[in-house]
Amino acid sequence: MRPVIAAELVNGAFGDPVLYLDFRDAKRALLFDVGDVGALPPRKILRVTDLFVSHAHMDHFAGFDRMLRVCLGRGPRLRLYGPPGFLERLEHKLAAYTWNLVHRYPADFTLQALEVDPGWSARAARFRSGAGFAREPLPEAHCAGGVLLDEPAFRVRAAFLDHGIPCLGFAFEEKAHVNVWKNRLAEMGLAVGPWLRELKCAVAEGRPDDTPIRVRWHDRDGAHERRVALGELRLRALQIVPGQKLAFVTDVRGTAENAERIARLAADADLLFIEAVFLAADAAHAERKHHLTAAQAGCIARAARARNVVPFHFSPRYLGREDELRAELERARTDKPTHREMPVKDSMPQFGAPDPELKNSSIIDEVEYDAEAVTPGLETETPACYFNGEAFALGECVRSGSEVLQCAERGVWVRKGERRPG
Ligand SMILES: [Zn+2]
Ligand SMILES: [Zn+2]
């Protein structure tokens, strides 16, 4: 009943940029930028397998020391990715300490770093605690299309942006994933178990419907095994959900070229984290500091068609005035006045009845809606609701006939009453 992936801006909108992407089921996390990480407990730091650094300004890289401190002697490996000059910066950071005893630590903590250039050639190096963190060159790599990390479940892509210096923006793209309705499995006389992993792989690989799946589980009566066709499981107990896309963009100048590159990187993102450092009234200052205004961030988010936008990296000069930054971004994004308490848009998409041939999220009455307890059979959940195959973000409304439906947490439509067209 929890999202598979949870994204947390560790220091909120005003603090150092740090985005923690938690794969809760896998006890694993990705980190985007490593400013002050004092708010991250060691157990969360130890989960980080990959660290993506936009650029080495201090507010984005100073937390590396704390990570190293936590991981030393404990973590097996951390992979890092950064812009030109990154390997030298990392090497110098490591050279700032004395390492005469670390080779005795039981765990040989290894940093494996990749530094990309705008043609996507990547220099790579390794730094092991067992070797006193001396730099060991690794073979050069090529990150075609800016893809820094490609795994069966997701990929992370970068784009080169201009911040007066080269700065990387990142997009995390989950591949399609499979939700399992436990209650429907139970109706089929099956129980959950590790076999679900095999099933999910078979779906991800696009295996044909007649592929037999070995369903195995243990209970009080001992071990059970059945063979069920993939097609039957797909039809009766699975929901295939398109992957989520999340983008992280910070420290960029408000130029047309940056806007275009970001819009491409973050195209159709479910969630866009984007800096909105200054108000448009202070645009000259933003230009001098090579940062975006909230209005520029909003225009970029609109061009990217991002479904949800989280602005951050607010200048401390606006402490107590963050509503102004958010409102400016929203105005530029929607090009209309904002109604903070009213997420219902005037131009609510109008649908007829749900078409059974298309993907639709379940619809429930508002009185039935309990954010903690809806769709009890669904193993995982989606950050979106579907109506006739179209995805809508949390909080968005559609009209089905004269009924207004609002997308609520856990991807269900909640009936919000009636509204006559017009
Ligand atoms: Zn910054
Ligand atoms: Zn910067």
Side-chain angles (χ1 to χ4, degrees):
M1 286 308 298
R2 302 166 308 170
V4 182
I5 297 162
E8 181 193 357
L9 213 44
V10 173
N11 300 312
F14 282 99
D16 282 2
V18 178
L19 179 70
Y20 188 87
L21 203 60
D22 200 351
F23 297 53
R24 288 165 165 176
D25 293 343
K27 292 201 164 49
R28 171 182 183 185
L30 306 183
L31 203 65
F32 294 88
D33 276 352
V34 62
D36 183 354
V37 289
L40 277 179
R43 69 182 160 79
K44 290 186 95 171
I45 289 179
L46 286 165
R47 255 189 250 165
V48 176
T49 56
D50 296 84
L51 166 61
F52 299 86
V53 179
S54 63
H55 64 304
H57 278 160
M58 208 171 176
D59 52 330
H60 300 257
F61 197 36
F64 171 77
D65 286 28
R66 156 117 182 113
M67 276 194 83
L68 182 60
R69 177 84 182 87
V70 169
C71 296
L72 197 58
R74 290 202 267 181
R77 182 177 73 162
L78 177 66
R79 288 180 298 212
L80 304 94
Y81 311 80
F86 186 62
L87 294 183
E88 274 69 38
R89 301 232 149 73
L90 189 60
E91 187 176 13
H92 284 294
K93 258 188 181 290
L94 293 162
Y97 298 101
T98 305
W99 301 113
N100 63 313
L101 296 174
V102 285
H103 62 278
R104 293 192 200 148
Y105 287 9
D108 187 16
F109 178 56
T110 301
L111 297 161
Q112 200 173 305
L114 209 63
E115 167 191 310
V116 285
D117 71 18
W120 299 120
S121 292
R123 293 201 299 152
R126 189 170 66 176
F127 306 85
R128 292 183 300 115
S129 62
F133 288 114
R135 176 167 167 173
E136 302 168 42
L138 293 176
E140 275 210 9
H142 184 72
C143 302
V147 175
L148 302 183
L149 181 62
D150 195 1
E151 298 199 4
F154 69 87
R155 72 175 73 83
V156 176
R157 226 153 33 87
F160 264 91
L161 305 170
D162 174 15
H163 177 41
I165 52 167
C167 179
L168 298 174
F170 301 106
F172 166 86
E173 295 162 325
E174 195 188 17
K175 298 173 187 175
H177 68 260
V178 179
N179 287 342
V180 181
W181 294 93
K182 284 184 199 160
N183 51 342
R184 294 191 192 159
L185 279 182
E187 284 164 18
M188 295 170 74
L190 307 175
V192 295
W195 66 274
L196 285 173
R197 207 175 312 245
E198 188 193 329
L199 169 66
K200 288 179 179 183
C201 284
V203 173
E205 289 163 9
R207 297 283 178 82
D209 278 353
D210 58 3
T211 306
I213 301 289
R214 274 174 74 195
V215 180
R216 282 168 297 168
W217 72 96
H218 276 270
D219 61 17
R220 278 197 305 268
D221 307 322
H224 304 264
E225 175 163 340
R226 300 235 318 255
R227 268 170 202 272
V228 186
L230 173 60
E232 192 183 347
L233 289 163
R234 196 202 305 267
L235 190 70
R236 295 181 61 185
L238 298 187
Q239 182 191 35
I240 315 249
V241 181
Q244 302 175 62
K245 177 171 176 178
L246 182 154
F248 176 80
V249 173
T250 188
D251 293 58
V252 289
R253 295 173 59 202
T255 62
E257 185 167 3
N258 269 343
E260 211 172 285
R261 286 174 179 226
I262 300 164
R264 228 177 302 138
L265 176 76
D268 299 304
D270 297 286
L271 195 53
L272 168 61
F273 292 88
I274 187 164
E275 74 159 10
V277 185
F278 297 103
L279 286 171
D282 298 319
H285 196 64
E287 177 50 36
R288 269 196 306 279
K289 298 258 192 167
H290 305 316
H291 279 295
L292 293 181
T293 64
Q296 287 167 336
C299 289
I300 292 170
R302 186 176 53 181
R305 299 175 304 275
R307 297 197 161 276
N308 295 284
V309 181
V310 181
F312 69 103
H313 215 356
F314 293 169
S315 162
R317 66 166 63 188
Y318 305 112
L319 269 169
R321 296 170 61 200
E322 59 178 285
D323 284 358
E324 292 174 47
L325 286 159
R326 291 182 199 282
E328 182 176 297
L329 181 143
E330 252 344 273
R331 265 198 307 278
R333 181 159 94 96
T334 57
D335 214 12
K336 358 180 145 110
T338 52
H339 303 281
R340 204 181 320 150
E341 63 296 329
M342 186 67 178
V344 180
K345 289 183 193 149
D346 290 342
S347 56
M348 223 183 291
Q350 172 75 58
F351 291 96
D355 179 344
E357 300 273 298
L358 296 170
K359 184 172 167 61
N360 284 286
S361 303
S362 31
I363 301 172
I364 58 171
D365 283 320
E366 194 162 17
V367 286
E368 289 170 21
Y369 179 68
D370 171 349
E372 291 305 309
V374 285
T375 59
L378 198 56
E379 192 198 36
T380 57
E381 60 191 272
T382 67
C385 300
Y386 291 84
F387 203 103
N388 290 353
E390 237 183 278
F392 294 87
L394 298 188
E396 280 195 281
C397 293
V398 300
R399 212 156 35 195
S400 168
S402 61
E403 261 179 358
V404 174
L405 306 174
Q406 185 173 28
C407 178
E409 269 184 63
R410 294 162 211 287
V412 292
W413 291 113
V414 177
R415 285 194 185 89
K416 302 299 278 190
E418 304 242 326
R419 186 195 260 202
R420 295 284 153 208

